[in-house]
Amino acid sequence: MADKSDLDILNELGVEPEHKKQASTTPREARIIAGFEDIQKFVETHGHAPRHGEGLDIFERLYAVRLARLRTQDECRSLLVDLDHQGLLSDETTEVQPDALDDTALLSELGVMADPENDVTRLTHVRSRAEIKAAEEIAERTRCEDFEQFIPIFEALKADLASGARTTRRFGGRSEIEQGRFFIVEGMTAYIAHAEAEFVNNAGNRDRRLRVIFDNGTESNLLARSLQRALTQSSTGRRVTEPDAGPLFTQENEAEGDSTGTIYVLRSLSSDPEIASKRDIVHKIGVTGGEVERRFTDAENDPTFLMASVEIAATFRLVDVNRHGLENLLHRFFAPARLDVTIHDRFGKPIRPREWFMVPLAAIREAVDKIQDGSLHRYEYRPEQAAIVESS
């Protein structure tokens, strides 16, 4: 997996800006970034940091060892800190010691050969248990007895795709798996005809049973997490957008389409003299899939919010967009203006929040506009001018 530039993220978000050469990195830095992005994808899929244990999946054990090493190497931490939107580099909960086996040694212990040309991100002659299980569950289909009633639905979908009213995009996560949605999985078009009520499985994760109809006249009684695994682990897994999904995102609640979250901009109400004197330019840029207000109900006790109350400066509703990818793009763009502050929590532990920036609200709105028209990659933010300027 190569390093994702701003341009790559824009393309994933469905934006097609002009092409620009990416900043070069050394081969070693590219491998470090690619390995860290694999860990981030694991966390997004499974909801927790990778763990160590003989009964766990091979990749999870590799990621646990890799993450522990990244945390202990200053060079790696400085390279990855701007990409770490999940706080993995500061989380000390991974159950593995930093001096544990490296990736290659662990693979050898497990009896698996690594592909030397692609480092340990690719293995030969092995599939993870989760990947095998997902493929088997998709394959366990039966004939759909009432397929006739679904034929018009699939025909309408084909017409929408042909006319451009719908398109396909990369699968973004389990929140997109809802009744009435279409997906491309294992080379077939899948329609979620029915979704039962959610329940909590034995592992403590929320799940639900689905009736999935495939365009070849078969159906499957799948769990949502099984479909998620199949879409995530397949290189061809896609989701089909809703017809006329609307713009990339819009301010407040004006957009129509399939909402996937909200980018919010907060202003601190801290009485700290250093922060209060810069109140008009100190902003937190974040993302949430739920109500924005719930994110800061206990802000006064949360170092992430500078241990102080906040107010909403602006919100942007996302429509058919990977919200984490968009948040990461904004954080990287404004990284030169990141607020360098250390806050102590209630227990005296020092915390360095990473989502606060010394940027005027007008500049944030301008960046949003440039993401929407696909031109952000041609610009950069210069703190000394407090302005977005065209890249030299």
Side-chain angles (χ1 to χ4, degrees):
M1 182 183 300
D3 181 18
K4 291 185 179 179
S5 66
D6 291 352
L7 183 56
D8 295 327
I9 299 175
L10 283 170
N11 289 334
E12 291 182 9
L13 294 172
V15 180
E16 297 182 356
E18 298 176 3
H19 293 288
K20 178 184 177 183
K21 290 185 178 180
Q22 301 180 19
S24 61
T25 58
T26 66
R28 182 174 184 275
E29 289 175 336
R31 287 196 299 271
I32 292 172
I33 293 173
F36 186 65
E37 289 176 338
D38 286 344
I39 297 171
Q40 290 180 309
K41 185 176 180 180
F42 175 91
V43 175
E44 290 177 359
T45 301
H46 299 279
H48 61 78
R51 300 161 299 180
H52 180 68
E54 292 187 359
L56 299 176
D57 181 80
I58 292 173
F59 282 98
E60 179 169 4
R61 296 172 64 187
L62 285 172
Y63 296 156
V65 172
R66 183 181 300 162
L67 179 57
R69 293 209 315 275
L70 293 176
R71 288 172 175 166
T72 61
Q73 299 180 24
D74 292 340
E75 176 190 0
C76 295
R77 292 176 67 92
S78 61
L79 175 65
L80 300 171
V81 65
D82 289 336
L83 306 177
D84 186 22
H85 64 271
Q86 297 158 314
L88 295 174
L89 295 177
S90 59
D91 187 349
E92 302 296 338
T93 59
T94 301
E95 301 174 5
V96 62
Q97 296 300 317
D99 58 352
L101 295 174
D102 63 19
D103 293 343
T104 304
L106 179 56
L107 285 174
S108 178
E109 289 288 320
L110 296 171
V112 179
M113 297 300 295
D115 183 344
E117 294 185 359
N118 294 285
D119 202 12
V120 297
T121 58
R122 289 191 182 183
L123 307 181
T124 57
H125 313 301
V126 64
R127 300 174 75 190
S128 69
R129 288 195 302 276
E131 183 180 2
I132 294 172
K133 183 178 180 181
E136 289 176 344
E137 289 172 332
I138 292 296
E140 291 176 356
R141 303 187 305 275
T142 59
R143 181 174 178 271
C144 180
E145 299 296 337
D146 56 347
F147 186 66
E148 292 78 10
Q149 67 173 302
F150 297 103
I151 291 178
I153 296 177
F154 284 107
E155 290 180 345
L157 173 65
K158 290 180 181 179
D160 286 345
L161 289 172
S163 67
R166 295 178 186 256
T167 185
T168 63
R169 295 180 182 172
R170 293 183 61 178
F171 176 67
R174 184 170 172 271
S175 62
E176 297 171 346
I177 300 178
E178 298 290 344
Q179 184 170 316
R181 298 297 299 270
F182 290 91
F183 300 91
I184 309 298
V185 56
E186 298 292 333
M188 298 173 289
T189 301
Y191 173 66
I192 301 181
H194 179 69
E196 297 180 2
E198 282 193 339
F199 62 89
V200 178
N201 62 22
N202 294 334
N205 298 317
R206 291 184 301 169
D207 210 341
R208 62 171 58 183
R209 181 68 64 178
L210 310 173
R211 184 191 182 196
V212 182
I213 311 298
F214 297 90
D215 61 350
N216 64 353
T218 61
E219 68 173 277
S220 181
N221 188 27
L222 279 175
L223 288 172
R225 287 187 172 272
S226 297
L227 180 58
Q228 176 189 0
R229 284 196 299 268
L231 288 165
T232 301
Q233 294 162 358
S234 171
S235 60
T236 59
R238 307 280 287 179
R239 63 183 175 89
V240 180
T241 64
E242 293 299 283
D244 300 323
L248 181 66
F249 47 80
T250 185
Q251 184 176 348
E252 306 302 337
N253 296 314
E254 299 172 359
E256 296 180 358
D258 184 22
S259 176
T260 54
T262 303
I263 290 285
Y264 58 84
V265 182
L266 302 182
R267 183 179 296 115
S268 177
L269 300 180
S270 173
S271 59
D272 182 281
E274 185 172 348
I275 296 175
S277 63
K278 305 171 184 175
R279 197 181 311 280
D280 291 338
I281 62 171
V282 176
H283 293 101
K284 173 176 165 54
I285 304 174
V287 64
T288 180
E291 297 179 11
V292 175
E293 290 78 3
R294 291 186 177 181
R295 292 286 293 113
F296 52 86
T297 54
D298 194 32
E300 296 87 347
N301 297 312
D302 190 340
T304 302
F305 294 93
L306 307 183
M307 302 292 285
S309 299
V310 295
E311 63 180 2
I312 299 175
T315 60
F316 304 90
R317 176 185 164 203
L318 306 184
V319 180
D320 270 332
V321 177
N322 182 326
R323 58 181 182 269
H324 295 298
L326 183 57
E327 180 192 43
N328 188 35
L329 175 59
L330 286 169
H331 285 183
R332 291 174 62 173
F333 184 76
F334 288 118
R338 179 174 277 113
L339 181 65
D340 185 10
V341 62
T342 299
I343 301 294
H344 291 82
D345 64 15
R346 291 174 295 171
F347 306 102
K349 180 180 179 181
I351 304 293
R352 296 185 65 188
R354 306 297 299 172
E355 296 185 349
W356 289 88
F357 304 86
M358 294 181 61
V359 179
L361 182 59
I364 299 175
R365 293 186 186 278
E366 183 180 354
V368 166
D369 290 339
K370 293 188 182 303
I371 292 176
Q372 194 167 13
D373 65 24
S375 66
L376 186 69
H377 68 291
R378 295 193 285 108
Y379 294 85
E380 62 185 47
Y381 182 75
R382 294 184 181 173
E384 65 275 12
Q385 302 177 27
I388 294 175
V389 300
E390 192 163 0
S391 301
S392 57

